[in-house]
Amino acid sequence: DGAVSSDATSTATVDALSIGGAAAVSTGELTLSLSGAGAGTTNTIDNAITAQVSQGAVITTTNNATVAVTATDDSMIKADSGGFAMAASRGSSTGIAASVGASVAVNQIGKGRGHSVQALVDGATINSEGDVTIAASSDATIDGLSFAGAVAAAGSANGLSVALAGSGTAIKNKIKMTIGAAIQNGGDVQTDADVSVSATDDSKIKADAGAVCLSISASSGVAGAVSVGGAIADNDIRNSVTATVDNGIVDAKALTLNATSTTKIDTFGLTGTVSVAVGGGGALSGAAAGTEVTNTIENTIQAYIQNDSDIDTHQDISLLANDHSTIETFAIGGSIAISGGSGSGSAAIGTVILD
């Protein structure tokens, strides 16, 4: 006489941290310092979460007791990756310093055919005096950070000094899921109350990508400094959200099919470069920064009745399909080049690409 429920829940969680660092320092007459650091992380969740009343099963409730078949997904990937390098060189005649920092993060929920969350009445029979709820929902989340930095400093008392710094970071996040609630393959639901079949997608991607670098060169002779940095963020959500009666039978007071998506992508991209060169005999400095952010949401949201389904209700039949997906992006790319000396030149360029 009590309520009946069939529940499937996933709280799969990945929490990853990857950091790389390096430093090099040299002094002498003719000096060279080289430093490089990188970090990377790859994370995947790919599960099937299914709550099902299957072939041949019969569920009967009385005294207004309810029946609920629910599948819930709270999968989460939290991943941070960072690489930082520093090089310093001071030579009485020549000083050269070069540093490179890099970071890559790849995060994915669902691969191949995709992660799935399903609530099904599949060829089974439910006889209830209370409400019947069949619901599949996902709150899958990816929260990723990828950061890279580089610093190079070079000095020479009498001759040539050169400082080179480069940093690059990339983050790629993807969510691919099937979220479905259905009465199918001859499933038969009979109740004196309401039947609700719902699929809800609230998946989210939050991505931050940053790259910064600084080069400084000073000499009483000739000085040169170059900084180059780049940051790339690529985020993709492609989900199927369906609430269906497919070759099923429903006899109820009212029937509601509701498929809803509120997916969201929130991205921040930053690249900053600075180069400074000061030389008594001449100085050249150059800085370049680029930031590219690509965000894609391509979801399919459907509520439908098909394949000779038999529906008998005393009140309304409602079919609702709603898409409230959003994308928010903030990206910066900036560079500064400074030179000073008897003959000096500098150039700087910064670009931002949004797609």
Side-chain angles (χ1 to χ4, degrees), residues 146-228:
S146 183
F147 180 83
V151 175
S156 172
N158 300 307
L160 173 68
S161 68
V162 177
L164 306 173
S167 63
T169 185
I171 185 167
K172 181 177 178 62
N173 303 302
K174 185 174 183 178
I175 297 177
K176 182 180 180 181
M177 291 193 298
T178 298
I179 305 162
I183 301 169
Q184 63 185 27
N185 298 327
D188 187 349
V189 177
Q190 309 279 330
T191 179
D192 296 329
D194 296 335
V195 173
S196 173
V197 181
S198 65
T200 304
D201 175 22
D202 191 30
S203 54
K204 295 176 286 293
I205 292 176
K206 185 178 185 301
D208 299 318
V212 295
C213 56
L214 169 66
S215 62
I216 301 174
S217 176
S219 173
S220 58
V222 178
V226 176
S227 293
V228 178

Side-chain angles (χ1 to χ4, degrees), residues 24-340:
V25 178
S26 64
T27 61
E29 181 178 356
L30 175 60
T31 60
L32 173 65
S33 289
L34 302 175
S35 177
T41 180
T42 300
N43 308 287
T44 302
I45 295 175
D46 188 34
N47 292 329
I49 303 103
T50 304
Q52 181 171 307
V53 183
S54 58
Q55 299 285 344
V58 178
I59 295 175
T60 301
T61 66
T62 58
N63 297 327
N64 297 320
T66 61
V67 177
V69 181
T70 58
T72 305
D73 175 35
D74 290 320
S75 299
M76 181 172 184
I77 295 176
K78 188 178 189 322
D80 299 326
S81 177
F84 183 81
M86 181 182 70
S89 175
R90 184 180 185 279
S92 57
S93 63
T94 301
I96 299 174
S99 65
V100 177
S103 177
V104 177
V106 179
N107 306 300
Q108 187 171 355
I109 297 179
K111 60 182 181 179
R113 296 183 64 184
H115 191 80
S116 67
V117 186
Q118 294 182 301
L120 305 173
V121 175
D122 187 357
T125 300
I126 296 176
N127 296 302
S128 175
E129 291 185 358
D131 292 337
V132 176
T133 301
I134 303 159
S137 63
S138 177
D139 190 27
T141 302
I142 295 176
D143 186 348
L145 167 67
S146 183
F147 180 83
V151 175
S156 172
N158 300 307
L160 173 68
S161 68
V162 177
L164 306 173
S167 63
T169 185
I171 185 167
K172 181 177 178 62
N173 303 302
K174 185 174 183 178
I175 297 177
K176 182 180 180 181
M177 291 193 298
T178 298
I179 305 162
I183 301 169
Q184 63 185 27
N185 298 327
D188 187 349
V189 177
Q190 309 279 330
T191 179
D192 296 329
D194 296 335
V195 173
S196 173
V197 181
S198 65
T200 304
D201 175 22
D202 191 30
S203 54
K204 295 176 286 293
I205 292 176
K206 185 178 185 301
D208 299 318
V212 295
C213 56
L214 169 66
S215 62
I216 301 174
S217 176
S219 173
S220 58
V222 178
V226 176
S227 293
V228 178
I232 297 173
D234 185 356
N235 306 296
D236 194 320
I237 298 178
R238 300 173 188 266
N239 295 339
S240 172
V241 187
T242 59
T244 67
V245 179
D246 187 352
N247 188 28
I249 302 169
V250 176
D251 188 342
K253 182 172 71 175
L255 170 64
T256 300
L257 305 181
N258 190 348
T260 300
S261 176
T262 56
T263 56
K264 182 178 181 179
I265 296 176
D266 186 353
T267 309
F268 175 73
L270 167 67
T271 305
T273 61
V274 177
S275 66
V276 179
V278 179
L284 293 174
S285 66
T291 303
E292 181 176 356
V293 177
T294 302
N295 297 312
T296 304
I297 297 178
E298 290 188 5
N299 292 335
T300 300
I301 301 101
Q302 295 178 304
Y304 58 84
I305 299 170
Q306 69 175 12
N307 289 337
D308 297 322
S309 296
D310 186 357
I311 310 297
D312 186 2
T313 64
H314 308 298
Q315 297 182 6
D316 293 338
I317 299 174
S318 300
L319 284 76
L320 307 171
N322 300 295
D323 183 10
H324 302 293
S325 301
T326 58
I327 295 175
E328 296 181 3
T329 301
F330 186 70
I332 301 173
S335 60
I336 300 173
I338 301 172
S339 63

